[in-house]
Amino acid sequence: MALNTINSPALGGSCIRHGSAGTVPLTAARRRRGRILTGAGLALLPWLGYLAGTLPPAEAAAWVALDALEAAALLTAGTRLLRGDSRHRAPAAAAAVLLLADACLDLATAAPGTELATALAMAVGAELPLAGLSAWLASRRT
């Protein structure tokens, strides 16, 4: 019990997971990045329902599929970061590519005016920063 407390992730120790590819120290910065990615993935879940309910069926299928893949990649990368699992790089890379594609497609398909302004705000405020963080995490060894 005492060893568990000393090496606890909450105290900055490493998470020890049997059968995982490797563990790394769970630092405050790593925890924060994991929470950002996990939170973004969770925030996409109600958005999927909104898209499915408001878009025409043909468009909804494409956008829901893209955003569901983004959510899965963000949740996988984020939870792996939070567990101290070193296998976060592949889902982080997938999230970066999907978020960049989503931003580009949103901007390319938006009608001029309010729709374009909203797409631009989403790209600059959420999709591109998350894509940058994900790409950075994917490129790091630890």
Side-chain angles (χ1 to χ4, degrees):
M1 186 65 117
L3 182 57
N4 229 1
T5 305
I6 293 170
N7 199 30
S8 147
L11 298 175
S14 63
C15 274
I16 298 175
R17 298 194 45 86
H18 299 290
S20 69
T23 60
V24 293
L26 189 59
T27 63
R30 185 180 185 88
R31 193 174 308 120
R32 184 173 43 256
R33 293 176 193 128
R35 287 179 181 158
I36 289 169
L37 295 185
T38 303
L42 289 173
L44 280 172
L45 298 179
W47 179 246
L48 297 174
Y50 172 78
L51 289 177
T54 58
L55 292 175
E59 287 181 41
W63 287 112
V64 168
L66 176 61
D67 286 355
L69 289 171
E70 287 174 21
L74 288 166
L75 287 168
T76 302
T79 55
R80 285 182 180 177
L81 281 168
L82 288 171
R83 287 189 322 225
D85 191 333
S86 63
R87 298 173 300 162
H88 67 277
R89 293 174 65 203
V97 170
L98 290 165
L99 287 161
L100 183 59
D102 193 357
C104 290
L105 289 169
D106 283 344
L107 292 169
T109 59
T114 307
E115 196 174 316
L116 182 58
T118 301
L120 187 59
M122 288 295 293
V124 171
E127 293 163 340
L128 296 178
L130 277 171
L133 174 60
S134 297
W136 181 74
L137 288 168
S139 69
R140 297 192 64 217
R141 281 272 181 221
T142 58

